[in-house]
């Protein structure tokens, strides 16, 4: 589907479906050339997501309720952009134009309105049909946003962000036999752009040389070799600092010898969602300019119970020399992240590190599928990330990381153990606490536990359901652009 921007109401009759947004209490205004009689709107209240269709001479017209003016925000616009695109598709329209009233541009700002509607239309039209033997072609070919001239840059930004998010979703949705650690690394290589983005992939031998015993310990039970992806983005102008984005890239997590139950084990294809989100950021950085040097680091491996697999009680040595007893092979994400964080400290020396990981089932219990857990080392970083997530509709909520959590990760036979002892509870805090000794010194650090939000959310029109959500990509780009 091609997204366009139309500045005037002329030639609207060239579209098979013309949609118009209307605030609660307002009459839908389709302009003069599309003669729609007033009684078509009788009883239409303009409540949020309310729709009413009517016929003009040559096309269908759809009024869509924006709800109360006081409740209008960009999340609602994103939802409505998605809703209109879905209605157009189910009406078999090849072309759709969406009329945006000037009043909402004045209220929310031209750039924000353009971005939200573009993101909504594109992400609401997202499908994953690759693996169907007879993929259903998309009927909707063009989606035009009819809005003032100054909405243009926002619409273009929305397109870039939505395409990056769709790239993340595509990686997430591939099953483990079609997206191995090697495939994830190849996808990262595909993002290289001369002069701006480079990519190094470290293979098994290189990981041994680097001393990444924890990552290799997780990979040992699989016949798929692990990879460490290192993407680098250099800004056009002077850099304001060095940022490392670290992603958990478990292309499948069976649990290893501490094997998971069969129910929903297929969902562990999504255990690379943090890594996919990091790759998605670089997808967007190919066409944006942010004032930071950005490093994307993804530890990619499977967690399998092969005959060489790590056994409960086995001790492995991290890249920074810390020894770890692996008491539960299913707490593998923290092992992979630990070595990648060491690599960040040794090779990148970042000012700030943000990691994204589907790390704990406990965060799903605590926060559900709409909000990700955040552990941040400074209040500034916490506030920045939270504001970015509020803007992009990817909500974050702070969770505690206390000394009791760190103490609970001290090992009996080695320095650390990978699961907490005793009745600590607080599974997400324990996971975060394990990472602390590996975080690069002097760097501000945030850990985002995205196990709940990476897939399976309730329907918000542009996101939700069984497919991957793409969580994190748009949030991180917004953070890089605004901080
Ligand atoms: N990838 C899982 C976490 C997960 C579970 C994500 C469910 C999404 C949905 C992670 O590797 C894991 O298995 N964590 C364990 C840790 C435990 C053994 C301490 C968990 O949360 O059960
Ligand atoms: Mn696991
Ligand atoms: Zn996992």
């Amino acid at each position: 589907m091609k997204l366009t921007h139309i500045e005037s109401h002329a030639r609207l009759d060239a579209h098979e479906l013309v949609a118009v947004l209307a605030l609660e209490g307002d009459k839908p205004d389709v302009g003069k050339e599309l003669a729609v009689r007033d009684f078509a709107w009788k009883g239409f209240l303009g409540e949020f997501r309310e729709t009413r269709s009517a016929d003009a001479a040559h096309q269908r017209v759809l009024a869509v309720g924006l709800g109360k003016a006081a409740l209008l925000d960009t999340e609602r616009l994103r939802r409505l952009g998605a809703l209109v695109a879905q209605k157009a598709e189910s009406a078999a329209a090849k072309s759709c134009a969406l009329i945006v009233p000037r009043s909402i541009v004045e209220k929310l700002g031209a750039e924000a309105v353009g971005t939200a509607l573009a993101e909504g239309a594109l992400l609401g039209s997202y499908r994953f049909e690759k693996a169907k033997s007879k993929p259903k072609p998309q009927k909707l070919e063009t989606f035009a946003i009819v809005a003032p001239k100054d909405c243009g840059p926002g619409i273009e930004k929305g397109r870039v962000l939505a395409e990056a998010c769709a790239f993340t979703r595509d990686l997430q949705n591939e099953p483990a036999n079609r997206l191995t650690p090697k495939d994830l690394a190849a996808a990262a290589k595909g993002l290289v752009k001369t002069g701006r983005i480079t990519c190094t992939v470290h293979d098994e031998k290189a990981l041994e040389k680097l001393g990444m015993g924890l990552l290799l310990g997780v990979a040992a039970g699989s016949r798929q070799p692990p990879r460490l992806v290192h993407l680098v983005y250099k800004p056009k102008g002077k850099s304001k600092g060095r940022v490392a984005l670290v992603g958990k890239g478990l292309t499948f997590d069976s649990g290893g010898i501490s094997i998971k139950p069969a129910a929903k084990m297929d969902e562990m294809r999504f255990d690379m969602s943090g890594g996919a989100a990091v790759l998605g950021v670089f997808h967007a950085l190919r066409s944006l300019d942010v004032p930071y040097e950005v490093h994307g680091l993804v530890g990619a491996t499977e967690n399998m119970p092969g005959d060489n697999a790590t056994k409960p009680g086995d001790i492995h040595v991290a890249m920074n020399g810390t020894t770890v007893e692996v008491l539960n092979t299913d707490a593998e994400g923290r092992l992979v992240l630990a070595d990648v964080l060491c690599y960040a400290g040794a090779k990148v020396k970042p000012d700030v590190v943000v990691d994204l990981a589907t790390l704990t089932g406990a965060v799903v219990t605590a926060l559900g599928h709409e909000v990700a857990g955040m552990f941040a080392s400074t209040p500034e970083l916490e506030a920045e990330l939270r504001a970015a997530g509020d803007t992009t509709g990817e909500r974050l909520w702070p969770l505690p990381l206390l000394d009791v959590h760190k103490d609970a990760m001290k090992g009996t036979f080695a320095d650390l153990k990978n699961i907490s002892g005793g009745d600590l509870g607080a599974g997400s805090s324990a996971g975060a606490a394990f990472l602390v000794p590996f975080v690069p010194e002097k760097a501000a650090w945030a850990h985002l536990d995205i196990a709940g939000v990476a897939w399976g959310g309730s329907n918000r029109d542009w996101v939700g359901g069984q497919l991957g959500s793409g969580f994190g990509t748009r949030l991180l780009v917004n953070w890089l652009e605004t901080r």
Side-chain angles (χ1 to χ4, degrees):
M1 182 180 92
K2 196 171 161 352
L3 186 73
T4 61
H5 176 207
I6 302 181
E7 288 166 34
S8 83
H9 285 218
R11 302 253 340 115
L12 280 185
D13 59 352
H15 296 84
E16 290 185 8
L17 179 82
V18 175
V20 56
L21 299 173
L23 282 167
E24 203 170 297
D26 288 356
K27 195 162 68 72
D29 181 9
V30 287
K32 288 195 187 67
E33 358 44 81
L34 303 182
V36 180
R37 281 183 240 177
D38 264 2
F39 71 74
W41 311 129
K42 191 160 184 277
F44 176 80
L45 301 173
E47 286 174 354
F48 178 56
R49 292 182 86 259
E50 181 184 355
T51 56
R52 169 71 66 86
S53 84
D55 288 328
H58 302 290
Q59 67 271 106
R60 180 155 298 166
V61 176
L62 183 74
V64 182
L66 284 160
K68 289 192 178 20
L71 296 181
L72 187 63
D73 60 8
T74 50
E75 171 68 7
R76 284 195 158 190
L77 282 187
R78 217 162 14 242
R79 290 194 62 163
L80 295 175
L83 184 65
V84 169
Q86 286 161 8
K87 292 274 181 194
E89 181 67 26
S90 59
K94 271 195 200 156
S95 54
C96 171
L98 171 61
I99 303 174
V100 184
R102 193 165 273 284
S103 61
I104 75 161
V105 175
E106 278 154 17
K107 183 171 154 43
L108 297 174
E111 163 130 16
V113 167
T115 301
L117 289 173
E119 286 179 328
L122 290 169
L123 292 174
S125 309
Y126 176 83
R127 292 127 40 101
F128 187 75
E129 294 275 312
K130 277 188 208 173
K132 300 277 169 76
S133 62
K134 295 180 190 71
K136 259 200 223 144
Q138 188 173 32
K139 295 183 200 95
L140 186 60
E141 290 168 7
T142 63
F143 190 100
I145 297 175
V146 185
K149 186 175 166 53
D150 47 355
C151 290
I155 291 171
E156 174 57 14
K157 172 72 60 67
R159 187 188 63 74
V160 168
L161 292 170
E163 285 176 3
C165 182
F167 174 79
T168 303
R169 289 178 177 183
D170 279 345
L171 292 173
Q172 289 183 283
N173 291 328
E174 290 290 0
N177 67 326
R178 295 183 176 196
L179 188 100
T180 63
K182 274 189 200 167
D183 296 327
L184 194 59
K189 284 258 184 200
L191 295 171
V192 167
K193 192 172 170 188
T194 325
R196 283 167 73 77
I197 294 175
T198 54
C199 180
T200 311
V201 173
H202 298 287
D203 64 9
E204 232 176 344
K205 279 215 177 94
L207 298 176
E208 271 164 34
K209 266 203 172 152
L210 287 162
M212 300 181 99
L214 303 187
L215 171 51
L216 289 166
V218 173
S222 170
R223 55 165 79 223
Q224 298 295 339
R227 293 287 184 265
L228 173 65
V229 171
H230 185 173
L231 284 153
V232 185
Y233 163 89
K234 292 255 162 78
K236 279 202 192 104
K238 198 175 148 9
S239 171
K240 280 166 66 181
R242 211 173 286 134
V243 175
L245 306 176
V246 171
K248 170 176 173 181
L250 267 286
T251 59
F252 192 72
D253 177 14
S254 72
I257 298 297
S258 315
I259 199 158
K260 288 181 180 295
K264 296 196 181 178
M265 202 203 271
D266 62 288
E267 292 185 346
M268 285 299 119
R269 80 182 64 206
F270 294 128
D271 213 20
M272 33 58 76
S273 296
V278 171
L279 263 50
V281 171
F282 284 80
H283 191 285
L285 289 179
R286 295 184 309 168
S287 31
L288 298 175
D289 195 24
V290 302
Y292 294 94
E293 182 179 308
V294 187
H295 292 252
L297 305 171
V298 179
T301 177
E302 288 185 341
N303 184 23
M304 294 290 284
D307 61 3
N308 190 44
T310 292
K311 304 163 289 298
D314 283 2
I315 293 173
H316 292 302
V317 185
M319 185 176 168
N320 70 355
T322 305
T323 60
V324 179
E325 50 186 293
V326 179
L327 296 183
N328 187 321
T329 65
D330 198 11
E332 86 299 338
R334 60 198 70 183
L335 300 172
V336 171
L337 287 180
D339 264 343
V340 181
L341 288 167
C342 289
Y343 176 93
K347 305 288 176 187
V348 176
K349 299 186 177 62
D351 303 300
V352 50
V353 183
V354 180
D355 78 69
L356 295 91
T358 47
L359 206 69
T360 64
V363 84
V364 193
T365 308
L367 297 175
H369 295 286
E370 315 303 322
V371 184
M374 166 167 52
F375 300 85
S377 70
T378 72
E380 292 78 20
L381 184 56
E382 177 181 308
E384 287 169 16
L385 288 167
R386 216 170 139 183
D390 288 349
T391 303
T392 62
E394 299 162 286
R395 307 277 305 274
L396 302 175
W397 203 263
L399 292 174
L401 203 178
L402 308 176
D403 284 344
V404 280
H405 303 128
K406 294 179 205 165
D407 291 343
M409 307 313 290
K410 288 192 176 135
T412 311
F413 299 88
D415 300 338
L416 295 176
K417 54 191 177 199
N418 76 330
I419 55 169
S420 64
D423 301 319
L424 184 75
S428 304
S429 297
F434 179 85
L435 301 174
V436 172
F438 306 97
V439 174
E441 263 177 68
K442 287 183 245 161
W445 168 60
H447 160 59
L448 309 184
D449 193 335
I450 62 169
V453 295
W455 75 96
S458 55
N459 177 27
R460 286 195 278 146
D461 302 305
W462 62 276
V463 68
Q466 292 308 297
L467 298 188
S469 66
F471 189 102
T473 293
R474 291 165 45 257
L475 184 158
L476 289 173
V477 173
N478 181 275
W479 173 65
L480 290 167
E481 287 195 309
T482 55
R483 92 186 278 263

